[in-house]
Amino acid sequence: LAGRAETVRIGIGADVLFEGRPMRVVQGEGRQVRLMPTEIMVPGDPDNAAARVQGFLKERARARLVAASDRYAARLGREYSRLTLRDTRSRWGSCSSRGALMFSWRLVMAPACVLEYVAGHEVAHLAQMNHSPRFWQVVEDIHGPYEAPRRWLRENGETLHRYRFAD
C-alpha cells in the first residue's frame, strides 16, 4: 500500500493523463469540452467537471479503439461483432468467442502506442483464442513489435486507476 500511487480526484485544477501526457483540467467557455495542448477545458458548472472529463475521455477512447480495431481486423481479414467499453480493474481488454471486443476506456490515458497494442492484442484473438506462440505471431503480424507497450502496461497500468471521477 505504501508504494501505491495517490488517488487523484478529477475536478478543476487537477491533472489527468490523456495519451500518456498530463493535462490540466481548467474552466472553459462555451458548451463543449475542448482539448488544448496542455489542458482540457471544461465549460459549465465546476461541480460537473469530473463527469464531463470522464465523458470526454470515454468518447476519445471509443473513437481511437474503434479505429485501431477496424484497422487490425482488416489486416487480419476478420470482423469483430461489437465493441464495448467498461471500467475494468482486472483486464484491459477481452475478445469473446463470438468476436465481441471489450476494452477499458482508461486505455486512452496511456500512451497511444499502448492503446494500439491492446487493440491489436484483442483483435488477434479473432484468429487465435489463446496465448500460444501462434497467437503472439498474429499480434506481431498485425501490430508489429509489441514488447515495449506490453511492458509499459505491466509496469504502469495500475496508475491509470488512480484517477477518480466520482465519489
Side-chain angles (χ1 to χ4, degrees):
L1 287 174
R4 188 173 166 198
E6 188 175 322
T7 298
V8 175
R9 298 219 177 273
I10 299 304
I12 302 298
D15 286 335
V16 65
L17 291 175
F18 179 75
E19 294 185 340
R21 301 182 325 264
M23 306 294 281
R24 177 66 43 111
V25 177
V26 299
Q27 185 68 46
E29 295 180 2
R31 299 177 58 91
Q32 300 291 329
V33 174
R34 291 189 342 204
L35 182 65
M36 305 305 280
T38 61
E39 299 172 329
I40 297 176
M41 300 183 77
V42 184
D45 185 348
D47 290 341
N48 296 330
R52 303 252 354 238
V53 170
Q54 184 179 35
F56 171 82
L57 292 175
K58 286 180 179 181
E59 281 178 19
R60 294 297 175 106
R62 176 171 298 285
R64 282 161 172 71
L65 286 162
V66 165
S69 297
D70 287 353
R71 192 170 56 255
Y72 293 128
R75 288 179 190 167
L76 190 59
R78 304 268 177 117
E79 292 184 2
Y80 58 93
S81 60
R82 65 188 164 111
L83 186 149
T84 58
L85 298 181
R86 296 200 179 122
D87 193 8
T88 55
R89 291 195 71 84
S90 61
R91 58 179 57 174
W92 296 107
S94 65
C95 177
S96 76
S97 60
R98 295 186 175 185
L101 302 177
M102 184 284 301
F103 296 100
S104 170
W105 65 264
R106 290 178 184 262
L107 285 167
V108 78
M109 293 189 278
C113 65
V114 173
L115 179 146
E116 288 282 330
Y117 156 68
V118 175
H121 178 114
E122 297 311 331
V123 167
H125 283 305
L126 296 171
Q128 292 287 324
M129 287 298 289
N130 54 55
H131 287 108
S132 67
R134 286 191 320 213
F135 164 80
W136 291 107
Q137 186 58 57
V138 172
V139 175
E140 181 93 22
D141 291 346
I142 65 173
H143 174 272
Y146 57 84
E147 283 300 327
R150 185 172 185 227
R151 184 174 43 254
W152 188 97
L153 206 49
R154 273 196 316 267
E155 294 172 358
N156 303 289
E158 185 58 33
T159 63
L160 304 181
H161 290 288
R162 68 190 283 228
Y163 298 96
R164 295 284 173 254
F165 296 86
D167 290 332

